[in-house]
Amino acid sequence: MFTDATEWLAQWLAPADAFEARLRLEQVRVVANNNKSSGLLNPVMAVILAIIDLQWASVPVVCAWLALNLASVLFMVVGSRRALARNYASDRAGRFTADVLLCTLPFLLVWSTMVLFVWVPGNPINNGF
């Protein structure tokens, strides 16, 4: 079932012509390479933010968010490396896009949920942070 959904996504994301396919491959390669290199900085940033968040949220809540974040970074980096190693041809640009998107999406979702873990209503410093 997951393979069928991935293939559907790949077809839906497939560029219309050969020029767009070559352009898409290069654009997604840039994203995948950035994902690989962010595997060093994102965990450091997440730990720093988690330490700051401890003033508003409990240790278990902050640790849960941090663990999810670190796992999603690992998933994104490994997935991006695998996608780059496959060296997709132009006619598989949709599949390459789907593969990189699916390994990046968990990181984007987890990172954006930090507000759900540490939001303190009526605290302007917390809310601004």
Side-chain angles (χ1 to χ4, degrees):
M1 183 174 123
F2 184 73
T3 306
D4 292 340
T6 305
E7 279 305 316
W8 174 84
L9 182 62
Q11 289 175 2
W12 186 68
L13 292 170
D17 61 40
F19 173 76
E20 286 182 27
R22 288 190 308 274
L23 180 61
R24 172 79 59 78
L25 281 174
E26 291 309 312
Q27 291 170 330
V28 176
R29 275 192 190 107
V30 169
V31 171
N33 279 314
N34 285 340
N35 286 352
K36 279 182 14 184
S37 63
S38 72
L40 300 173
L41 184 58
N42 277 323
V44 172
M45 289 174 45
V47 168
I48 291 169
L49 289 173
I51 291 168
I52 293 170
D53 287 337
L54 285 172
Q55 64 185 314
W56 297 299
S58 68
V59 172
V61 169
V62 171
C63 287
W65 177 81
L66 183 60
L68 287 170
N69 188 290
L70 296 176
S72 69
V73 169
L74 180 64
F75 185 73
M76 178 178 67
V77 170
V78 170
S80 293
R81 284 186 179 160
R82 284 184 182 162
L84 287 167
R86 288 189 185 116
N87 200 13
Y88 294 85
S90 294
D91 62 335
R92 300 288 287 158
R95 179 59 192 222
F96 183 46
T97 304
D99 288 348
V100 174
L101 175 66
L102 291 173
C103 74
T104 306
L105 192 59
F107 169 75
L108 297 174
L109 293 173
V110 169
W111 192 264
S112 65
T113 62
M114 181 174 62
V115 71
L116 300 175
F117 284 82
V118 299
W119 183 265
V120 178
N123 185 327
I125 294 173
N126 167 271
N127 301 163
F129 179 73

